[in-house]
Amino acid sequence: MIDFNLSDNDKKMLDYVRTEALVARKYARYYDENEAEFPPEALDEADDYPGAWSMMAGRTSEDSGQSVIGMLITMAENWGDYSVRMRKGRGVGLGNAALGASGTEEQRTKWGGLLLSMAITEPGCGSDPSLVQTTAVLDEETNEWVLNGEKIFVTTGCRSDGVVMWATLDRSAGRAGIKSFLVEKGAPGFQVSHKEKKLGIRADDTATYVFTDCRIPRENLLGGKEEIPKAGSGGFRGVMKTFNMTRPMTAAFGLGMSKASLDFTREQLEGAGIDLSYGADVHGLSAAAAKFQSLEALQEAAELTVLHAAYLSDQGEPNNLEASISKAKGGSAVRTITQGCIELLGPMGASREHLLEKWFRDVRITDIYEGTGQIQNLIIARTILEYDRSQLS
Amino acid sequence: MIDFNLSDNDKKMLDYVRTEALVARKYARYYDENEAEFPPEALDEADDYPGAWSMMAGRTSEDSGQSVIGMLITMAENWGDYSVRMRKGRGVGLGNAALGASGTEEQRTKWGGLLLSMAITEPGCGSDPSLVQTTAVLDEETNEWVLNGEKIFVTTGCRSDGVVMWATLDRSAGRAGIKSFLVEKGAPGFQVSHKEKKLGIRADDTATYVFTDCRIPRENLLGGKEEIPKAGSGGFRGVMKTFNMTRPMTAAFGLGMSKASLDFTREQLEGAGIDLSYGADVHGLSAAAAKFQSLEALQEAAELTVLHAAYLSDQGEPNNLEASISKAKGGSAVRTITQGCIELLGPMGASREHLLEKWFRDVRITDIYEGTGQIQNLIIARTILEYDRSQLS
Amino acid sequence: MISFGLTEEQEVVREAMREFAVDIFREAARDADEESALPADVLNTVWELGLTSTQLPESVGGGGEARSPITNAIILEELAFGDPAMAIAATAPSLFAFAINDFGTDDQKQAHLPRFCGDKFAAATVAVAEPSPVFDVANLQTTAQAKGDGFVLSGRKHFVVLGDRAEQFLVLARTEQATGTGLDAIDAFIVPRDAAGLTISEVEKNLGMKALPTVALTLEQVELPAEARLGGSDGIDGARLIAQMRTASAALRVGVSRAVKEYAIPYAKDRHAFGEAIAQKQAIAFTLSDMEIEVNSMRWLTWKAAAALESLEDATQPALFASTYTARECMKIADNGLQVLGGHGFIREHPVELWYRAARTLTVLDAVAAV
Amino acid sequence: MISFGLTEEQEVVREAMREFAVDIFREAARDADEESALPADVLNTVWELGLTSTQLPESVGGGGEARSPITNAIILEELAFGDPAMAIAATAPSLFAFAINDFGTDDQKQAHLPRFCGDKFAAATVAVAEPSPVFDVANLQTTAQAKGDGFVLSGRKHFVVLGDRAEQFLVLARTEQATGTGLDAIDAFIVPRDAAGLTISEVEKNLGMKALPTVALTLEQVELPAEARLGGSDGIDGARLIAQMRTASAALRVGVSRAVKEYAIPYAKDRHAFGEAIAQKQAIAFTLSDMEIEVNSMRWLTWKAAAALESLEDATQPALFASTYTARECMKIADNGLQVLGGHGFIREHPVELWYRAARTLTVLDAVAAV
């Protein structure tokens, strides 16, 4: 039954997450201005706050599904701040999502407790994962994979404990030859370098990885299937399935911050005497109120697309289209919302005395990583047009 | 020297055109509701008004150039109404623009006094003129061209005296084989049929032409050059040059109506007590005033792109890029402006008691005919990227 | 619990309404628009679906099913997918009857609702919009003055759906007694067609949805008894009534937008230019994907507002969001849909031209249906 | 006569400024932003161009050339094409000096203008913006009360360009004497740096244009003599002053937008994905063509406002149009430019990231330069 009400359990948990998030927010500016430092494993205040995820026990059928509540928690955490959390996000890296989606039972057990980043992009391949040049060659004698190549824009790449990285077993096989591998930090020939200087999400490190004859155990092939499927058999789809949760989650990151931006802006506008109450048609409003309310509606719309994608996942239904819709919508919405909030507040909105300008910078990545808005649009268009890549690229 | 002031001559002429246009406007609703009828050759009031173009004599260097004043007059006429004019627009059809741009001296003299439509689009070729299927074959014995094919969406195709139509001398030559021909109504094998029922511009007939072994004199090849230039030698550009004036002019048609829409909307809003005065920053305005002023600024921006393209033409400078810019900008602006005016006025804006809803329908063609917005964007992009058709299509 | 799942019953209703709307409404839509008239018998045909009566209480002869704003939103989307003009005409009785049922006294329900539980289409409607630019429902200009036990109504209304045949009008006005401001200050009065001082115009000529008969009302010192005031001395919950109508309008816009999208997709695949289907061009393909994104967004906002109404919460904010958001996006989708068809979009052979006009009308109106 | 043609002199100036801006400003822009400081000597280097002095009268030691808002708009576009922060810093003295020259009494001109005709960069500035949300220049909160022959100023200003080093501030305020409303009610007062009651903040930390030092001012009962009021008893033409600043801001935005466009075009041709240059994809190509369209539109609106100022007409409306239009489009172009670069747009190696931040700052400010 269609329902948008949260259970008391859900509400309690989200209230708690927001309380934690507000504590973390106090550190947001510091780690933005001090780009060379990483936030600590756990904030000093962490001892005073039990972990939110511990509250996940004892959930009932009245409560929202795991994926849905996961998205709501993600938004609430990022409403505090994108990069600074009460505790380092064990198990919430993008690589962890891949592990959860495609890993074997054994792999999930062994790696689930580590923070895993995800390494796809290479200097030459942009947003096109099928152009991956990094190679993985099996050394049958030692039962090891030998990895060679370079990955860029690896989010949380410095502080992660390991990585899910994409490499090709056979370049001539195209997309079908691409596999994911689990690589732990410290593996021989795995070099982490070059923390990028960025517009935003500065505390959230973005690394470059170089693999030079890097050897990893044979069982580190994610999902364990070594054979190269025949072209067109959908083998690549398994790799891509990962995105069905990471895409909505990425949107949720951004939407947490855009919600924070709206809340700040509301406070300022109301403080300046602007009436933002609901009821009147748009013509009955001031220009500022009309603009603000349109941004709020956009936030709501984007959040709902994220929850929809997660809901389908909880139902065990396919959500490839919906995941891309939420990512495209979220990525575009957070640009509009944070830009609009600064526009509403004027020069004060562009001051580094407030976090709004930081959120404006931070959210800008949303429409870029995990597949740009253009990539999402291609996926959506191919789906509704029933086109393959050769028909629409 | 950069200047946006009109000379007294210019002002006087435009005032006069607007006076005429207001007379014509009285008939606008009638010919919209009575789609089967065409407006008369000249309105009853025509005797009371000398022709505006007669005032073109005696212009000085203080006055705007011919193309510029032509655009301003076009906007002023269409501010009255798109389809109904004091007199049938002798010499202002799209075909006349082609004649002016590419005709020989003799052709201009012979055909200049006729209203010429322009026939490019065919049932199968959409917005792609290089796919023209209509053929022209020279009968050397009779010194006649023999035309065969069908043309659709011929604006003013019923009431025009003749047409500039595109046909290919040699399909295998692609774009290079395409030539323009002057065909007079009444030519044997030239059939005018099927007045389309349309969303807007209902008085302005849109015809289908069928040519069946239609014979025309050899000298009716526009520009007179019979040879097929080598591929890539730019022969097709001659044909396309026509658009450098028709594109801004088409935009001017629409912008005249969107200006009328703004004027009507202003009157209504001010009547309802909305303060539209200029001065305050957007935050100091009501939602309605902020929206209205943004539409006004958009109108101004689009008008200026039209005048810029015309100015370059007057200077004898190339304006292919600027013509497409004005068409793309104008086509998009008039959609936004007329939609926005109705939004501002609410249900009353959507009532057929007022002409606003008609202008909203009429202007919608602006972004479609004479090359859709998409086509203009292709031209612009190719120009700034220095790409040819094979690189960007 | 967050859920986007339809009940089995809702799935069945949705499917049935979709078929009905396509078979009956869509088939007749172009002719109805050209003739500016509803097809004969369409209202009686649609009446057999029981859209109004099933959700009225058994005590007045109705089906006694619980009112479900969510189900109604789903129904309205499907009907508008067929044709928005006929969707609105078909559900106009609900607009009136649901308001009586939600806010009326027992006497008012007994007096007015049985008529909607009969075999024949019962025309009645609500008069909200006023013929002034920048109309704001939170600031009505139609007034009700107390006089003795009763009231005197003065003002003008327009775009009153089915006003050519309605036996009763529910006229929204501001009374002196109204407490609060904005939406809370709204009162509603049942005005019979033959009330002295009420002038009903000829059918209005509108840009879009021409098949839908609407009229203007002029109320000059229309004297009404005390019992004409909906809800008696308590009046109505104006915010809730407006939220119902805004949510309904949003649902209609989702339907029209989906109609455009689903027409444009196969068209773009069939139509070739420059050697391939135009859908293979990114500019067209991305326009279509944007439609897909926005039809989703619009629907979830609409459902959220309907769910708030269904759980009897204050739905003012979600309904307002649904209304303003769908208004903008529906217009954009219709506009872009026309552009995808190019010259063919401008011709009255394809339905996109009709939806384009409908969209611009529907997206400036929040008072043509209720959930 | 409608003309878009530059004079020969304007062509020369444009070319020279373009070279200067690229060679001097663009080269230094990234480091200056990272260090939040203007490069050493850049202000003295730019001073040699005589941007301020040549258009001041000979009577105060200036070049005596006619002031040309059009030429100044052309110059500002080019300078901002190099770097908007340095463009604003370099022309801040004009902001002050042009206002004195346009609206000051003879005594005020003699007292203040000669300083701008010397060899060394002379820092002075205008204080307009106030640190409240939804700031509206037509509704200033800073007030000037008459006291004896003089005035008492109270209020707060922020984003005061070069306020860290300005010797004088021209502070905009509302006086009781002001006639009219809105822009006409604006008065301006010359406030020396050491005025009692004036507190100057540390350099502000801003989102974009970090190389540009700005400060906040707090005016607590700042007592000023009668001659501090610009224009003496006549006051100033507030609408004209604001139109000059709005037009200047518009010109700066054209420059930044063009910078983004001209960077994105070759980038998109060089960068390959899916087997071809990304510029060969319609989604990217049409984004670039839209930039081309809008840079044109923005420039013509700016020139039209500048032309109105140049011919001494009321420029309120064209300047407002230029300002609001360029604000929206500049932000959009910077945003889309970043998207064209994708992940590389987010990295502080390419200048687009810098322009993106600059755009969001520049497009909420109308008071950082003058023509």
Side-chain angles (χ1 to χ4, degrees), chain A residues 358-378:
Chain A
K358 175 181 179 291
W359 295 324
F360 160 82
R361 288 183 284 112
D362 288 347
V363 299
R364 191 61 186 79
I365 195 67
T366 313
D367 212 22
I368 295 173
Y369 65 178
E370 286 296 294
T372 61
Q374 286 70 28
I375 297 287
Q376 309 305 329
N377 270 301
L378 274 177

Side-chain angles (χ1 to χ4, degrees), chain C residues 181-193:
Chain C
T181 54
L183 302 181
D184 293 333
I186 296 173
D187 251 301
F189 297 86
I190 303 164
V191 181
R193 190 175 188 85

Side-chain angles (χ1 to χ4, degrees), chain B residues 122-186:
Chain B
E122 300 181 358
C125 83
S127 299
D128 183 358
S130 69
L131 292 180
V132 160
Q133 297 293 306
T134 299
T135 54
V137 177
L138 185 62
D139 183 341
E140 305 239 8
E141 286 186 23
T142 63
N143 263 340
E144 286 174 324
W145 296 101
V146 183
L147 307 173
N148 279 289
E150 183 178 354
K151 296 285 178 183
I152 58 174
F153 300 154
V154 185
T155 301
T156 70
C158 295
R159 67 188 181 90
S160 63
D161 305 305
V163 59
V164 174
M165 59 89 80
W166 289 18
T168 175
L169 298 191
D170 178 2
R171 277 187 205 159
S172 68
R175 297 153 59 85
I178 295 170
K179 299 280 182 185
S180 300
F181 298 87
L182 290 152
V183 190
E184 204 162 357
K185 289 280 179 73

Side-chain angles (χ1 to χ4, degrees), chain D residues 8-24:
Chain D
E8 266 181 55
E9 193 194 331
Q10 284 167 338
E11 294 277 11
V12 170
V13 168
R14 174 152 77 168
E15 203 53 49
M17 290 299 153
R18 186 173 301 185
E19 265 180 48
F20 179 88
V22 170
D23 292 350
I24 307 294

Side-chain angles (χ1 to χ4, degrees), chain D residues 108-149:
Chain D
Q108 287 168 332
K109 292 184 199 179
Q110 286 303 330
H112 295 287
L113 293 183
R115 202 162 70 80
F116 298 96
C117 303
D119 292 341
K120 286 279 171 186
F121 186 87
T125 192
V126 179
V128 183
E130 296 173 352
S132 64
V134 298
F135 169 69
D136 174 11
V137 72
N139 185 23
L140 293 175
Q141 302 301 304
T142 301
T143 57
Q145 300 265 338
K147 182 176 178 188
D149 285 348

